[in-house]
Amino acid sequence: MGLEIRDLSVRFGSVPAVSGVNLSVAAGEVVALLGPSGCGKSTMLRAVAGLEPPTAGGVLWNGADLGGVAVHRRGFGMVFQDGQLFPHRDVAGNVAFGPRMRGASKARRRERVGEVLELVGLAGYERRRTTELSGGEAQRVALARALAADPRVLLLDEPLAALDRALREQLAVVLAELLGGAAATALVVTHDHDEAFTLADRVAVMSRGRILQVDAPSRLWKHPADEEVAAFLGCSTVLSARIGDGLARCALGEVAVPSEAAGAGLLGLRATGLRAVRFGGVEEEPEVVGVVRERVHRHDHVRVAVTVPQAPELGRVEATARVDDAPEYEEKVRLWLNPDGVAVIG
Ligand SMILES: Nc1ncnc2c1ncn2[C@@H]1O[C@H](COP(=O)(O)OP(=O)(O)OP(=O)(O)O)[C@@H](O)[C@H]1O
């Protein structure tokens, strides 16, 4: 029950934007569609809303096919990147739109507007003009407007993308709480990993019109289904390993893995999965040594690329070092694997 997307395809002329996608969103569940630009996320959301006719397949709500059901009769609420508030109405006028369309009394509308503005943290904003709101406030009003109509499903298309990074991170947490608190059923399109992982119960990774994997964030992070998903989730190095007893052994050493898997496997390493530490030649040479070939200062760490003399086949491998003791260019460093940045592929 809930929302079901079944064998959905949408073509634009010769462009297959969405190709045979299956996905279900249970009542009260938040699912994020995550993928690079042009992979078909927005088209899929628009097809669910009824704004884009499917070439094949369809969308069901609680088992009933929505094929012939017009956009405004689907009972879905939409929020876009730029809010699209009605400029000639104040905040209350925008938020009351849904309840007014459904014939709610004036008193009930006022009550509902107060409730949802409170929910999005904008109590008292009723009479504000939409042109005088900050970007973050405008998006919260857009969300309030969608929520006020008591939608069966919220469809959010990059709801925070127009905001600056700090505000985006802050509002993602607010939105996650809000969706959870309202037990909302939602499908959220985003190209931002952190946003998807913050908001969603499950994340669907899309590429070229298809869904590659749908899983809970923690599972997706530790067990990407294949190398493409792993690369998309930031694994810049893939290397073979022997896995057993909760340990993976590879050319860069040993690391704890949560995998039940045993035998030959593939590890995906994010830069945070490999730490580069100076040893200055004072101590005995460590087991796994890298030579720094590139270094870039990032906000809270130094990103280095190293070559590993004992595993030249890996080429340059990304690793992280501490800001306050960052190795120099060409310096030899001790390498160790950090389980937080290591995924078991497949
Ligand atoms: N109205 C349209 N007419 C023709 N082609 C379209 C149309 N809308 C989208 N496309 C094409 O369909 C594909 C998927 O586009 P879509 O906007 O769904 O991707 P997206 O993943 O949402 O990308 P972004 O993150 O950049 O918004 C792209 O190749 C795009 O160029």
Side-chain angles (χ1 to χ4, degrees), residues 12 15-18 35-44 52 157-158 189 191:
F12 297 109
V15 179
V18 176
S37 181
C39 73
K41 308 180 293 291
S42 295
T43 303
M44 187 159 140
E52 213 68 74
D157 194 352
E158 302 270 11
V189 161
H191 65 273

Side-chain angles (χ1 to χ4, degrees), residues 146-232:
L147 286 170
D150 296 315
R152 294 158 157 175
V153 181
L154 269 174
L155 304 174
L156 310 175
D157 194 352
E158 302 270 11
L160 308 176
L163 310 174
D164 66 48
R165 174 138 207 108
L167 188 58
R168 210 159 68 218
E169 283 175 7
Q170 190 191 332
L171 270 190
V173 175
V174 171
L175 183 55
E177 285 172 2
L178 214 143
L179 294 174
T185 308
L187 194 54
V188 188
V189 161
T190 180
H191 65 273
D192 184 303
H193 300 190
D194 292 338
E195 202 172 297
F197 282 48
T198 305
L199 289 175
D201 298 308
R202 287 187 305 146
V203 176
V205 178
M206 283 189 77
S207 172
R208 299 181 302 276
R210 296 178 189 279
I211 290 181
L212 302 179
Q213 183 176 2
V214 193
D215 259 317
S218 56
R219 170 97 198 153
L220 195 64
W221 190 250
K222 295 304 279 182
H223 289 279
D226 58 27
E227 289 189 45
E228 185 175 358
V229 177
F232 180 68

